[in-house]
Each structure stands twice: as structure tokens, then as C-alpha cells.
Amino acid sequence: VKVIRPGKKHPYRNYLDKVRDKLLKLGFKEVKTPLVEMEFWNFDALFQAQDHPAREIHDKFELKDPKYGDLEENEIVKNVKETHENGWVLDSVGWGYDWNKKQASKLMLRSQNTASSVRTLVEGLESPSKVFTIDRVFRPDVIDSTHFLEFYQMEGIVKDEDLSLKNLLGYLKLFAEEIAGAEKTRFRPGYFP
């Protein structure tokens, strides 16, 4: 008698697995980072000011216990602090405030996969490299048919010598065709201040 399995994979999970499989076949390596992050990796390392509205409690999920992580003093933390305060060695004036290490060490549920990308870059990425992450992120939202408190984001990094905008457009075209099944792709400039 044929075996009948009452459960099956959710269609969205099935789609994510197919995307993951295609990226692996294209030579990308998957990276995983924690779902619980310090604000440092989710915001500070991405040069988002500590008084930015997205850091308010209604725009992120903070942990209650433990409330803070262990943000060790190292070169990266020092450079991020100086970048926020005075621009460090960059051609910038920074945000011009006293950076708060305690705020940067607050624990939260990751609200964006860019936290994974910045961690990957800081840990060191060989050249050439192609990496990606497809993982859950969490944001407070009004739940309806198109919004939920958690969702999946995909992000990738390609690192090599002499890459240009033309290479980026080539990868985007490849993704559109291989992953999204597009028969035709077109690039148009846009401006989003």
C-alpha cells in the first residue's frame, strides 16, 4: 500500500529551500549568524545613529532578561565609536554625539540581515568570495494578510578584485533569471532620498 504522509513542507519554506539550493549551485556559500543580536551589529556598525527612530521600542524587539550582551572592547568597537562621534579617519564629521556603549550592547531580535553581512565582513572574507544568508528577521508590525512580526530576508556579498557596477548588474540579472524565473530583465535608475 502506498504510504501517505499527512504532513508536508509549507510552500514558502519550499520556495526558500529552492532559492538556497540555486544559490549554492551558483557557487555561493551560506552564512548563519544569531537571531539575537546586540544593537551594535544591528545598528551601530551600520552607522545608524543611536537616537534614530528605528531604535525605539516600537520598532524593534528588545530582550528583557538578559537585557545586555558582552560588547568587548576591540578595534572594531573603537572605530565604530569614533565614526559615530567624529567621523574617525573617514571623510565625515560623524553624528557628533557621545556614543553609548551600554546602548550598543542591548540585546534584541535581529531586525535586518545586514547585521549578518557586517558580521561576515568583520570576521574576514577571503577574496574571491560569494556568500549569502536567508534568515528570519523580526519587526513589530500590525498583523494583517501581508504583514507579520517575523519574515525572511535574503542578502549576499560578492568580494573579488576589480568588481564594478557592471558585475553587480550581471549578478542581479542572473538572480532574476535563475531564481525568479524572469524571461526578460531591465534596469532603470531610481532615486530614493
Side-chain angles (χ1 to χ4, degrees):
V1 178
K2 183 179 176 185
V3 175
I4 297 174
R5 307 223 183 264
K8 62 181 180 179
K9 209 182 266 190
H10 189 280
Y12 188 57
R13 164 56 56 198
N14 201 30
Y15 168 75
L16 293 174
D17 289 345
K18 285 180 183 177
V19 170
R20 180 177 284 110
D21 186 54
K22 286 182 180 185
L23 286 167
L24 291 169
K25 286 178 180 172
L26 289 170
F28 283 77
K29 178 183 163 197
E30 186 172 16
V31 295
K32 288 280 194 182
T33 59
L35 294 176
V36 175
E37 279 288 8
M38 283 186 278
E39 282 197 19
F40 179 81
W41 295 109
N42 200 81
F43 296 122
D44 295 86
L46 300 169
F47 197 53
Q48 189 174 74
Q50 290 187 326
D51 62 353
H52 191 281
R55 291 197 188 212
E56 294 178 14
I57 191 67
H58 61 271
D59 287 324
K60 64 179 178 175
F61 289 111
E62 293 182 354
L63 269 64
K64 196 180 265 186
D65 187 26
K67 188 171 182 157
Y68 298 98
D70 183 24
L71 185 59
E72 61 183 74
E73 290 287 336
N74 61 32
E75 188 82 12
I76 298 297
V77 172
K78 179 181 159 289
N79 294 348
V80 168
K81 173 187 185 299
E82 289 184 25
T83 303
H84 277 255
E85 291 181 349
N86 58 38
W88 184 43
V89 298
L90 306 172
D91 188 19
S92 168
V93 295
W95 291 115
Y97 64 85
D98 291 330
W99 183 79
N100 185 326
K101 181 181 174 189
K102 188 170 184 175
Q103 180 174 344
S105 66
K106 277 186 180 176
L107 292 172
M108 61 177 289
L109 293 178
R110 178 177 60 208
S111 69
Q112 57 185 333
N113 270 336
T114 311
S116 299
S117 294
V118 76
R119 269 186 179 274
T120 301
L121 291 169
V122 165
E123 289 169 6
L125 195 57
E126 297 174 6
S127 188
S129 286
K130 295 190 294 188
V131 299
F132 75 96
T133 184
I134 300 176
D135 215 342
R136 293 182 301 168
V137 295
F138 306 86
R139 295 184 190 161
D141 208 341
V142 176
I143 299 172
D144 63 22
S145 63
T146 61
H147 295 85
F148 194 60
L149 304 176
E150 73 173 81
F151 56 95
Y152 282 82
Q153 267 188 347
M154 182 183 119
E155 195 157 318
I157 301 170
V158 177
K159 181 181 177 185
D160 203 353
E161 299 291 323
D162 301 321
L163 289 176
S164 68
L165 178 62
K166 192 171 187 175
N167 298 102
L168 173 63
L169 296 177
Y171 276 108
L172 293 175
K173 184 176 190 294
L174 180 69
F175 293 162
E177 293 168 355
E178 295 293 323
I179 295 171
E183 294 178 16
K184 183 179 174 185
T185 56
R186 181 175 76 176
F187 297 102
R188 293 186 297 183
Y191 176 66
F192 305 97

